[in-house]
Amino acid sequence: MTEQVFDWMAAANKKAKGKRPEYFDDPEDERMLSILMAVVGEVSVLRERMDTVERLLDAKGTISRDDIESYTPDKEAAYERGAMIREYIYRVMRGPHQMVEELQHAEPPVEEVSKELKEI
Amino acid sequence: MSKTVPNDQKLDVAPPYNAVARHGVSPQPSHDEIARFDFLANFNKFMASTLSPGNKLAYDKRVLPAFLKEHGREPQDRFEIRHAMNKDPFHKFWSALKRNSMEMRQQNGRAIVLRQIDELNAKARQYNEGAQGVKSTLELNPEIAVPRYQSAVDIHCMPGSYHGEELPGDVSAGANYDCGIFATTGGGLGALTDGGGQALVDWIKKERPGWEPRRVLDIGTTVGHNIVPLALAFPDCEFIAIDTAAPILRYAHARAQSLGATNIKFIQANAEDLSRWDDGTFDWVQTTMFLHETSGKALPKIIAEGYRVLADNGLMLHLEQPEYSDAMPLFEQFLRDWDAFNNNEPFWSSMHALDMKDEMVKAGFDRDELFETGVRAVVDREIFPEAPTGEDEDHGRAAFWHAYGAWKNADQMQEAAE
């Protein structure tokens, strides 16, 4: 390390110069989404690590941390892991994904449907 | 796991970060750091292909009708669309997700690089020490000021931009920029993120078979991605690659040397003033995704200086995203403008509204010397995907460029020869 302790974890979080756009009415929502998205990313990382462990155990029966760190998927495994991440993204992004569907097909409130059914 | 993937179906997934090639100054990612970029690469694909179409739906179904009702007319420009769309709940949420993805990419890249910054600096020193002496392939000049258009904000939300240092003399800016492009492009630029440079090699070999330029100038080279493939393809040619930022050049030089591109001289210089080079010094003046990171007054100066140092029969070529012509729908212009206002690209919007042909004529070219062409990233298609264009395109980030070029005085040269 360098003589003065360099806190790389703090340095990695440095903010980019330039005022951050505000997307939501409540600034706290900006922070909440940033934490949530970081966690969404980290869960994906855990899943990929678990997949690595499972594949190595399948192949070797017993493994070391070095095996995990040096694991490189072959083409088929890489595709399967890509598909695993994709499936995970679709699951956690269900809400925004359904917003697209709502935009495609506008629907009446269920209360209206309820009134309709009462009459037919 | 494999049970959830039907054998007869190929899903569009990003290649694994493991497929990114290592060079002499590559940061070594851990298993989980690789997994972070795997997530982001696939998340960005999801954002572009699955969520982004919601923007057009929101526009057509509610934002445009509300605008027409309020104003009694269509929006006049992309700015009016942006102001209206920024109030739409779908677009707001999509933008917030996308901004987070960009911020995560920076944090993730910086975390990889900064935890091993001492090792990376040591690796870079091995290639850079002595380079400023006898070999003279790296020339840094502390008198070159960081231009306002580079310092006003950190370009593409990259903390510290190209000129920032975490430790004196470090290479963190270049290493972070280099290692994370995979995530934002979903691997569309290939193993060394040099699909643009590879495309230039393919293009010139087809365009001018057998042509051997003597000297090439690459302006705004950053980490040298796009010039290294050309330098390797033309080993007898002298390459000069300039940038205003010393930290990025330290990294670029070490990277190029480790890849065997020893015929590139990296020089800290500002392209607005190329007076150290005589008229007609270069056979090729190149910029690749650079002009949009300058400014309204700098861009014409850079093109004019480029014209001056370009030899007769020489090639000037600029690779950028397509300009906002009258033929491009305003909604597409608005979508392509996202990075300008959400990813710290403050000249992006104005630059793409310029008519590059007019700019090149102002610099001295005859209008009939100009040409335009499309250039698609050249990558190993066994591993890396072809970047989608059209509906699924990640606008502003697609590995498909519009090239604005000219062969200087080529007609006169040919007439003189005949």
Side-chain angles (χ1 to χ4, degrees):
Chain A
M1 272 306 292
T2 34
E3 284 170 37
Q4 224 178 356
V5 177
F6 171 61
D7 186 348
W8 65 264
M9 297 178 198
N13 269 2
K14 190 168 168 184
K15 179 191 166 296
K17 185 180 176 188
K19 186 172 161 47
R20 191 182 193 278
E22 287 160 3
Y23 299 100
F24 303 113
D25 298 331
D26 185 346
E28 286 164 20
D29 289 343
E30 311 282 354
R31 303 294 91 74
M32 293 301 283
L33 185 64
S34 73
I35 295 171
L36 184 59
M37 281 310 296
V39 173
V40 165
E42 291 307 300
V43 172
S44 181
V45 170
L46 287 170
R47 289 168 57 90
E48 188 166 324
R49 191 172 183 93
M50 189 66 89
D51 182 76
T52 300
V53 170
E54 288 170 4
R55 284 173 192 274
L56 287 167
L57 285 174
D58 269 352
K60 296 175 63 179
T62 175
I63 56 169
S64 67
R65 283 201 172 88
D66 278 352
D67 290 336
I68 297 172
E69 288 306 322
S70 59
Y71 173 73
T72 304
D74 62 20
K75 201 175 169 186
E76 192 186 343
Y79 171 71
E80 286 172 2
R81 284 150 70 96
M84 173 182 80
I85 297 169
R86 187 179 188 273
E87 187 231 5
Y88 164 76
I89 288 170
Y90 272 76
R91 199 186 316 284
V92 294
M93 286 292 144
R94 177 186 53 80
H97 193 189
Q98 288 182 350
M99 285 171 86
V100 179
E101 214 174 314
E102 280 169 10
L103 283 162
Q104 280 162 338
H105 314 287
E107 293 168 302
V110 175
E111 194 175 352
E112 268 179 41
V113 180
S114 172
K115 283 176 189 160
E116 180 205 336
L117 295 194
K118 198 177 152 194
E119 303 301 327
I120 61 168
Chain B
M1 174 54 239
S2 47
K3 282 178 210 137
T4 63
V5 188
N7 291 332
D8 56 349
Q9 189 188 347
K10 264 294 180 194
L11 299 167
D12 178 27
V13 301
Y17 191 73
N18 303 79
V20 170
R22 308 276 186 263
H23 51 69
V25 279
S26 293
Q28 294 300 315
S30 70
H31 177 281
D32 291 1
E33 288 164 344
I34 288 169
R36 278 187 193 102
F37 278 154
D38 285 342
F39 168 74
L40 283 179
N42 283 288
F43 182 66
N44 288 327
K45 266 188 180 292
F46 169 81
M47 287 291 291
S49 65
T50 307
L51 282 200
S52 188
N55 290 311
K56 184 72 165 66
L57 287 166
Y59 181 66
D60 287 343
K61 299 216 169 178
R62 58 192 185 205
V63 176
L64 180 61
F67 188 97
L68 291 170
K69 203 172 163 190
E70 190 186 337
H71 299 272
R73 60 168 175 81
E74 299 264 333
Q76 287 170 334
D77 53 35
R78 62 192 183 280
F79 305 115
E80 283 194 344
I81 294 181
R82 179 165 54 88
H83 289 299
M85 284 292 283
N86 279 350
K87 295 183 200 114
D88 183 80
F90 178 83
H91 182 67
K92 285 203 296 193
F93 203 84
W94 178 82
S95 284
L97 286 174
K98 195 161 155 118
R99 169 79 183 203
N100 270 285
S101 156
M102 297 296 151
E103 290 171 344
M104 288 164 76
R105 171 263 173 267
Q106 293 301 334
Q107 199 279 345
N108 295 176
R110 284 170 63 82
I112 298 174
V113 167
L114 295 178
R115 74 165 170 78
Q116 55 189 302
I117 190 61
D118 290 339
E119 291 93 323
L120 285 176
N121 286 336
K123 283 186 205 169
R125 270 197 301 276
Q126 286 183 349
Y127 294 104
N128 292 349
E129 263 171 16
Q132 299 196 59
V134 187
K135 281 194 289 175
S136 195
T137 45
L138 176 62
E139 188 182 312
L140 301 179
N141 181 358
E143 284 173 18
I144 297 295
V146 179
R148 169 70 182 159
Y149 48 83
Q150 287 290 315
S151 68
V153 299
D154 285 340
I155 300 235
H156 35 71
C157 290
M158 186 163 69
S161 195
Y162 303 109
H163 51 268
E165 292 178 347
E166 288 301 329
L167 299 168
D170 78 9
V171 293
S172 61
N176 171 46
Y177 180 49
D178 193 13
C179 78
I181 297 175
F182 169 90
T184 39
T185 58
L189 291 178
L192 282 166
T193 313
D194 64 354
Q198 300 287 359
L200 286 176
V201 172
D202 265 25
W203 178 81
I204 195 65
K205 297 273 182 190
K206 283 189 195 117
E207 187 72 18
R208 281 257 163 132
W211 186 49
E212 289 285 337
R214 294 162 305 149
R215 209 173 292 113
V216 175
L217 176 66
D218 184 39
I219 299 174
T221 194
T222 70
V223 295
H225 288 136
N226 300 305
I227 207 63
V228 165
L230 272 176
L232 293 173
F234 294 102
D236 299 326
C237 174
E238 179 187 0
F239 284 80
I240 307 282
I242 66 170
D243 202 286
T244 55
I248 207 100
L249 289 173
R250 278 185 219 112
Y251 181 83
H253 177 264
R255 181 185 179 280
Q257 290 279 322
S258 80
L259 291 168
T262 53
N263 51 333
I264 311 176
K265 182 171 180 175
F266 289 90
I267 299 178
Q268 189 177 6
N270 185 326
E272 293 172 68
D273 174 10
L274 299 174
S275 55
R276 61 181 285 164
W277 289 288
D278 294 335
D279 296 1
T281 300
F282 296 96
D283 288 336
W284 186 344
V285 172
Q286 174 69 32
T287 74
T288 307
M289 288 303 281
F290 162 70
L291 293 171
H292 68 268
E293 295 184 0
T294 64
S295 74
K297 286 187 176 154
L299 182 144
K301 281 191 212 166
I302 291 166
I303 297 182
E305 274 291 80
Y307 181 82
R308 184 186 62 75
V309 298
L310 186 62
D312 280 342
N313 239 345
L315 170 68
M316 180 180 278
L317 195 66
H318 305 289
L319 255 58
E320 289 288 337
Q321 294 287 314
E323 64 193 21
Y324 303 155
S325 67
D326 291 343
M328 186 187 282
L330 287 181
F331 181 82
E332 185 181 338
Q333 296 182 20
F334 146 76
L335 211 51
R336 288 184 175 280
D337 243 8
W338 187 88
D339 283 81
F341 303 99
N342 295 282
N343 198 27
N344 282 3
E345 293 273 17
F347 186 50
W348 178 282
S349 185
S350 320
M351 189 269 161
H352 288 97
L354 289 176
D355 185 328
M356 279 296 292
K357 294 176 287 303
D358 287 349
E359 295 302 316
M360 290 176 74
V361 167
K362 278 187 232 162
F365 288 102
D366 284 340
R367 198 164 285 273
D368 56 15
E369 289 169 351
L370 307 181
F371 65 88
E372 289 177 73
T373 185
V375 178
R376 189 179 286 277
V378 172
V379 301
D380 178 0
R381 294 268 177 250
E382 279 289 297
I383 305 168
F384 295 96
E386 184 163 307
T389 48
E391 276 288 288
D392 285 357
E393 175 174 341
D394 192 359
H395 289 97
R397 229 171 306 313
F400 180 73
W401 303 276
H402 202 83
Y404 301 90
W407 294 90
K408 184 176 176 179
N409 296 333
D411 288 349
Q412 289 98 304
M413 297 298 288
Q414 194 159 353
E415 278 165 26
E418 286 164 4

